[in-house]
Amino acid sequence: MITGLNHITIAVNDISRSFNFYVEALGFTPKAKWASGAYLCLGDLWLCLSADEVAPRQDYTHYAFSIRSENFDIVANHLKSYGVMEWKANKSEGKSIYFLDPDGHKLKIHDGNLDSRLSACLKHPYKDMVFF
């Protein structure tokens, strides 16, 4: 049986540029780096950067990272000072900033969790929403 998420691998054009972004802007811990890749960690998340031709999509797919509410403004301001481009305004419960990494991958920091999202949805459900 599947027990959880193992890791996420994202294609990047420039390993050094992306490595620096994820370490310096987002606070990932570097674990290994080589000519065509890198392994980074953030809490229990294992992220692999893999050199490849990047073709970001125009859909809603994105990777959201958790943040404590008391740290949100500090980190959001740090990201903005780093020059990240925001790709969407927050409309969900809690505080969020939606931004792009150097290769155009859609990222987000969010101070909520599944419980806070479901609680908000119970009050204002999405169209045709069913709860289990």
Side-chain angles (χ1 to χ4, degrees), residues 86-119:
E86 293 183 55
W87 61 274
K88 181 181 185 295
N90 183 36
K91 295 179 184 173
S92 63
E93 102 298 339
K95 294 181 180 180
S96 294
I97 181 174
Y98 297 77
F99 59 98
L100 301 176
D101 81 353
D103 290 290
H105 297 291
K106 295 174 183 170
L107 306 176
K108 171 184 177 181
I109 58 170
H110 180 64
D111 74 346
N113 57 35
L114 181 57
D115 288 338
S116 65
R117 177 64 51 88
L118 289 174
S119 179

Side-chain angles (χ1 to χ4, degrees), residues 49-87:
L49 305 176
S50 182
D52 200 353
E53 187 173 324
V54 178
R57 297 175 52 166
Q58 298 303 311
D59 63 21
Y60 188 64
T61 300
H62 64 277
Y63 307 104
F65 303 109
S66 297
I67 188 164
R68 293 178 191 246
S69 186
E70 63 268 18
N71 296 328
F72 182 87
D73 291 333
I74 295 167
V75 174
N77 289 333
H78 171 70
L79 289 170
K80 290 174 184 176
S81 72
Y82 202 85
V84 298
M85 181 178 10
E86 293 183 55
W87 61 274

